[in-house]
Amino acid sequence: MPSVAVDVAIIGGGPAGSTAGTLLTKYNPRLKVLVLERETFPRDHVGESQLPVVSKVLDEMEVWDKIEAAGFPVKIGATYRWGKTKDLWDFEFLPNGVFHPEARPSKYAGQRLRTAFQADRAVYDEILLDHAKWMGCDVKEETSVRSVKTNGDRVEGLVLDDGTEVQARYYIDASGHSGILRRAMGVEVETPTSLQNIAIYDYWRNADWAVSVGVGGTRVQVLSQAFGWIWFIPLGPDRTSIGLIVPASYYKSTGQKPQDLYDEAVRNDPRVAKLIKNATCEQKLTTTKDWSFLAKRLAGDNWFLAGESAGFADPILAAGMSLAHVGARDVAYTILALDRGEFDAEWLKGRYDSSHRSQIGQHIRFADYWYTHNGVFSDLKDYAKEIAGDAGLAMSADEAWRWFGQGGFIDHNGATGFGGYSLTATKHISATFGGDTPFFDIVGKTHFVLNLEGAEKTWIAEMDKGRITRRRSYTREGKTLSGAYFMGWLVNVLKTEHSYEDLNFESANYMAEHGYTEAQIPKFRNEFFDILEAMVSDGWVVARTEPGARAVPRQEINISPVIHPNTEEAST
């Protein structure tokens, strides 16, 4: 039987596999990395709408320019019709939703730092896989893994369809829902939600865009129906992905075929029907379940789960691509650090396991929060009421948000927010659902000091340029205070009480020392307020008000509305 020996064997050539392979070979070109993909690219795949964090990873992979050159629409946000009203509202990535005209292809700079792509996955995934090959990976398409050889918690080899045996020092399962290694290693999955939906989708040619902004800028459309919701995602000048999400129970109760249910939804929605008036369907209807799940373990002796093999969150938040790229990047950094022998192997693997499981779990819980505010998904309302105790949806928006976000607003990597969205954005979303004004703990406060009482010292990983640096962090009641990146700097500053005036002065010095340009200041200020708000909301910083001292003004936080009524078109 022929055999192949490599350093890292990756099962799956989708975004997670390509990301891990690219970063491994970028930062250690001597590594032999084998990517095994059972299909032949290009091929269609759902998960076309991204969040801005993906662009940052693409830039690190040195593939952003190739993706930008493909001419995918620039996602500047989304338009929603959600909940109990027919009103449209916009969610913005950019200040006030202003996307300045600029020639394309453009660079990953300026306003593009805060945008994302709406990618035709047939094209996108092929670019990524070809790039991984260009970076030095050995890529094998039309190559399936027949079986996995194991010994306890260790993978001993992969047997391919042609009988070839692959032996590696490390194995990465990026095989999506198939979860080839996950199943072989007996890793169970949990479904921490009552959401059990199915997706029915197809592609359309020459549909109109709901809105065009600048050069190639647009928003995806997320439109609530009486029995589910529709996504409308332009993938290019003449191709659009349109999908329908419905509860599996509803689908079964109708007795309808998927095609009939899909046609009814897209033809009877006034907004969608108008956009596809002159369009032609490709007749590639596909049905799949999109039940959220989370693997109970993401790493073992010499193996890792990445992408959808690790977990899947409902597509309402466009989380899939973010989790795939970010998780795979983390796996690559972990393997690079293991090879260097710089840190304890169990800490490295455990850190990835806990941090990425937390990220996936947050997306799942935030999706639940969205669905509780749509009258269609009554089962989830009962679920929310049950696990919340007695209040259910009778809770105020702020109370509900605090309950759903009870795991903390600071993740293991030092990012603030929830489910991939900034804390400012999530508070705007919560207020929109509840018809309230966004509430911020830091508004009106003048003095701030760190509170570490009862906290346990831990370590956190700061990942940059292929290396992991260990930073001091803290845990308390299931919440994390990161000592990495800008938050770590602020933790040190607030070991002694500082006034808001003092913090402004210290922040200005920080920006000067780190070479921030005038154009970067607004983004830095947004991050500063987000981090300070998260630290106060999670109890890591005590904030107080001293008469006569300058306080945090509300208008500074709300200067760029994240959510506002739709301005391009009146509700239909």
Side-chain angles (χ1 to χ4, degrees):
M1 178 182 293
S3 64
V4 176
V6 296
D7 293 302
V8 183
I10 301 174
I11 307 175
S18 295
T19 298
T22 293
L23 293 177
L24 284 167
T25 51
K26 172 183 176 177
Y27 292 120
N28 186 356
R30 294 187 300 275
L31 288 177
K32 292 182 179 179
V33 178
L34 175 63
V35 181
L36 304 168
E37 170 53 49
R38 68 182 179 184
E39 297 188 49
T40 300
F41 286 12
R43 53 88 178 100
D44 285 320
H45 201 287
V46 288
E48 300 106 339
S49 183
Q50 302 182 356
L51 297 175
V53 67
V54 173
S55 295
K56 186 175 182 180
V57 180
L58 295 175
D59 183 59
E60 182 177 8
M61 293 168 63
E62 300 179 16
V63 73
W64 195 90
D65 287 343
K66 295 178 182 178
I67 298 296
E68 166 66 5
F72 298 126
V74 179
K75 180 180 176 183
I76 65 169
T79 296
Y80 290 90
R81 185 183 66 223
W82 192 260
K84 301 174 183 178
T85 75
K86 293 184 178 181
D87 295 331
L88 299 173
W89 48 275
D90 293 336
F91 176 86
E92 307 286 10
F93 290 156
L94 295 162
N96 299 308
V98 177
F99 182 62
H100 299 286
E102 62 179 1
R104 296 190 68 190
S106 62
K107 295 296 183 183
Y108 182 63
Q111 64 182 354
R112 296 304 301 277
L113 297 175
R114 303 176 71 172
T115 65
F117 291 106
Q118 293 168 202
D120 187 327
R121 290 286 299 276
V123 180
Y124 180 84
D125 289 12
E126 185 174 31
I127 293 173
L128 291 183
L129 192 58
D130 286 347
H131 182 73
K133 183 186 299 184
W134 183 79
M135 291 290 287
C137 294
D138 183 9
V139 174
K140 304 291 185 185
E141 295 183 67
E142 291 188 272
T143 304
S144 297
V145 175
R146 181 199 303 167
S147 62
V148 179
K149 291 187 172 183
T150 65
N151 181 8
D153 194 41
R154 186 172 182 82
V155 177
E156 296 288 354
L158 308 174
V159 179
L160 308 184
D161 263 352
D162 66 358
T164 301
E165 184 172 324
V166 175
Q167 294 181 330
R169 294 189 297 115
Y170 303 103
Y171 299 83
I172 300 174
D173 184 353
S175 63
H177 275 273
S178 300
I180 293 173
L181 276 186
R182 186 189 72 224
R183 296 174 192 274
M185 302 312 296
V187 178
E188 297 180 354
V189 299
E190 54 188 353
T191 54
T193 173
S194 67
L195 283 176
Q196 291 192 343
N197 300 328
I198 65 167
I200 308 169
Y201 60 94
D202 210 328
Y203 299 91
W204 295 71
R205 291 288 178 179
N206 300 312
D208 293 329
W209 288 12
V211 58
S212 294
V213 183
V215 180
T218 189
R219 298 185 185 89
V220 302
Q221 307 290 300
V222 175
L223 305 168
S224 179
Q225 296 276 299
F227 47 82
W229 62 274
I230 290 176
W231 78 64
F232 183 97
I233 308 173
L235 304 177
D238 66 347
R239 197 174 197 227
T240 299
S241 171
I242 303 178
L244 171 66
I245 299 288
V246 296
S249 58
Y250 175 82
Y251 165 66
K252 292 177 182 177
S253 70
T254 65
Q256 289 182 282
K257 295 180 179 179
Q259 185 72 63
D260 296 334
L261 195 60
Y262 180 81
D263 289 342
E264 177 185 344
V266 299
R267 298 294 183 185
N268 292 341
D269 185 281
R271 189 168 177 82
V272 176
K274 179 180 178 181
L275 297 173
I276 63 172
K277 182 179 179 180
N278 300 312
T280 302
C281 184
E282 293 186 5
Q283 302 298 328
K284 296 180 177 179
L285 191 81
T286 303
T287 302
T288 182
K289 70 177 185 179
D290 69 348
W291 299 353
S292 299
F293 72 90
L294 177 59
K296 291 188 176 181
R297 197 158 59 106
L298 305 188
D301 189 307
N302 63 340
W303 56 269
F304 299 86
L305 309 183
E308 288 184 13
S309 70
F312 176 78
D314 188 275
I316 185 66
L317 302 176
M321 295 293 281
S322 298
L323 291 172
H325 282 289
V326 170
R329 174 182 185 264
D330 203 331
V331 169
Y333 270 74
T334 301
I335 290 175
L336 290 166
L338 284 168
D339 261 7
R340 295 188 186 107
E342 296 171 329
F343 305 109
D344 177 71
E346 294 308 309
W347 175 77
L348 284 168
K349 291 182 288 187
R351 178 209 58 78
Y352 167 68
D353 180 90
S354 61
S355 66
H356 196 49
R357 275 178 46 84
S358 175
Q359 288 173 331
I360 299 170
Q362 275 200 348
H363 280 82
I364 293 172
R365 285 163 57 199
F366 198 20
D368 281 359
Y369 181 67
W370 280 68
Y371 279 106
T372 60
H373 288 80
N374 188 331
V376 176
F377 298 84
S378 56
D379 289 346
L380 192 68
K381 288 185 180 182
D382 295 337
Y383 164 77
K385 184 177 292 186
E386 176 185 339
I387 59 179
D390 56 359
L393 295 181
M395 292 186 289
S396 70
D398 188 56
E399 289 170 334
W401 170 244
R402 286 182 181 278
W403 177 73
F404 271 91
Q406 63 188 335
F409 296 113
I410 304 169
D411 73 14
H412 289 68
N413 298 314
T416 58
F418 205 74
Y421 291 77
S422 71
L423 187 51
T424 299
T426 50
K427 292 207 171 193
H428 273 276
I429 291 167
S430 174
T432 298
F433 285 157
D436 301 328
T437 300
F439 174 81
F440 296 94
D441 289 300
I442 62 176
V443 169
K445 302 300 191 298
T446 63
H447 287 72
F448 305 86
V449 67
L450 199 63
N451 171 29
L452 297 179
E453 184 177 353
E456 178 184 352
K457 289 184 177 181
T458 55
W459 293 105
I460 206 164
E462 183 175 285
M463 296 181 288
D464 185 48
K465 297 178 181 176
R467 304 192 76 93
I468 286 178
T469 301
R470 208 162 64 157
R471 302 292 188 193
R472 174 61 70 197
S473 297
Y474 304 88
T475 60
R476 182 174 59 206
E477 299 177 353
K479 299 178 182 179
T480 299
L481 177 65
S482 170
Y485 308 107
F486 176 69
M487 185 178 291
W489 173 85
L490 195 54
V491 166
N492 286 326
V493 169
L494 290 177
K495 286 180 179 177
T496 58
E497 187 176 61
H498 278 61
S499 68
Y500 175 55
E501 197 80 51
D502 292 336
L503 289 178
N504 278 327
F505 177 78
E506 296 280 4
S507 297
N509 287 338
Y510 180 92
M511 286 188 285
E513 291 172 5
H514 289 80
Y516 280 77
T517 65
E518 191 73 23
Q520 293 174 312
I521 292 177
K523 184 174 184 295
F524 175 86
R525 294 291 290 172
N526 286 341
E527 292 174 353
F528 166 75
F529 285 123
D530 245 30
I531 291 172
L532 187 60
E533 175 70 15
M535 292 170 76
V536 173
S537 294
D538 278 354
W540 294 111
V541 167
V542 176
R544 66 183 181 87
T545 302
E546 186 173 299
R550 185 184 175 193
V552 177
R554 183 178 190 84
Q555 59 267 30
E556 282 205 43
I557 299 178
N558 288 325
I559 194 168
S560 301
V562 176
I563 292 175
H564 58 78
N566 176 262
T567 56
E568 280 80 24
E569 183 175 335
S571 175
T572 55

